[in-house]
Amino acid sequence: MQEARRQRLAHHLQQENTDACILVPGPNLYYFTGLALHQSERLSLAILTKENQLLFLMPKLEVSKVEQVAHDALFSYTDEQGPGQALAEVQKKLGTLGRVGIEYGHMRVKEWKAVEQLGAQEFVEIEQTVDALRVIKDEQEIEAIRQAVRIVEDSFQAILPRVRAGVAELEVAAELEYEMRKRGSEGTPFDTIVASGYRGALPHGRASDKLIQSGELVVIDFGAIFHGYVADITRTVAVGELDAELANIYEVVRQAQQAAVEAVRPGVTAHEIDETARAIIRDSGYGEYFTHRLGHGIGLCGHEEPYMIQNNPLVLAPGMAFTIEPGIYLPNKGGVRIEDNVIVTEDGCLNLMNLPKELLSL
């Protein structure tokens, strides 16, 4: 699978007259090699040439992992040696380079300073090419996302009895993360959001020591990772009896979210999906309180292409995976967000999430 992906990338390099591209530890390296490595103080690079040769520069302690896929060349160094000599050997192996593609969004200055030493005549951004290859998910990727979705849904149901007045947001978040780990999650793609009452008006209200109170909405946004692939869900629940406005904004968001899900199909633009939900919220008088895009792609990253955002002309195609998550956020009062993960199919949309979206009162 990774070999076929590298062949497609090498073909794009040839078409773009680019001699090679350099990948750093992260989602793109995993996608093209299957290696799950993390950026650290030790320099790690993978170089794919337009001839589909794959070279690695790695610290010695990663050799046993990397040599399983390093069929062309592996240059390593010890902590005592440092990467200087190994980098010189890579440069000698590659020879004179013209254009080289790099990951502007993932490469740190540390890697950039090393890459400069390879002596390329020109460095270009490679991420648009990589994003275009990654945006269409294959069946194996979709199945991994589906399993991650199962983890988040089952974990959410498991912690509902713990969401009650007098419980701290941090406690709910900790219980969620524990339940996900028990079910096979490899971690969380972002800090778990549990935002109750007035804190629900913060779209990124990470869990705090605030105690949940009766009469509040609680926004719960969290994610799981399965075989590297992300599920990202938001549900908003009521603790006790709500006032009329909070109950109303919940229903507006629910209707907007459902309409957007039903609008997903091949040939529709990302802008149109966003506008479907946004128009309902705007016509209900809350347009100014929907302050973010409708959704983002999911896959090896929690946020990736495609983005459901105003004025994005991207045409949806089968295999695209993304979230649909409209929200309304009333300052100093509360907020609502509802989020599902969907896949574009040949004739419409597959919503991977099965949890009901009617307001749940605890």
Side-chain angles (χ1 to χ4, degrees), residues 58-125:
M58 289 287 158
K60 196 75 171 180
L61 81 169
E62 299 288 9
V63 165
S64 60
K65 181 186 295 185
V66 176
E67 63 186 359
Q68 300 173 32
V69 297
H71 305 304
D72 298 309
L74 170 57
F75 302 89
S76 65
Y77 63 92
T78 66
D79 289 344
E80 293 76 16
Q81 292 170 329
Q85 181 59 40
L87 191 62
E89 292 172 1
V90 171
Q91 195 279 329
K92 183 178 179 180
K93 175 75 173 180
L94 290 171
T96 302
L97 294 171
R99 286 163 54 94
V100 172
I102 60 174
E103 302 178 273
Y104 281 16
H106 295 280
M107 184 175 285
R108 303 170 301 179
V109 174
K110 181 183 186 68
E111 287 104 2
W112 168 245
K113 289 297 184 181
V115 166
E116 280 187 309
Q117 297 179 44
L118 296 178
Q121 296 175 9
E122 180 184 6
F123 291 102
V124 296
E125 184 269 336

Side-chain angles (χ1 to χ4, degrees), residues 25-27 29-31 33-39 62 65 186 227-228:
L29 181 66
Y30 182 80
Y31 185 79
T33 69
L35 289 170
L37 302 174
H38 299 282
Q39 287 174 314
E62 299 288 9
K65 181 186 295 185
E186 297 157 7
H227 289 182

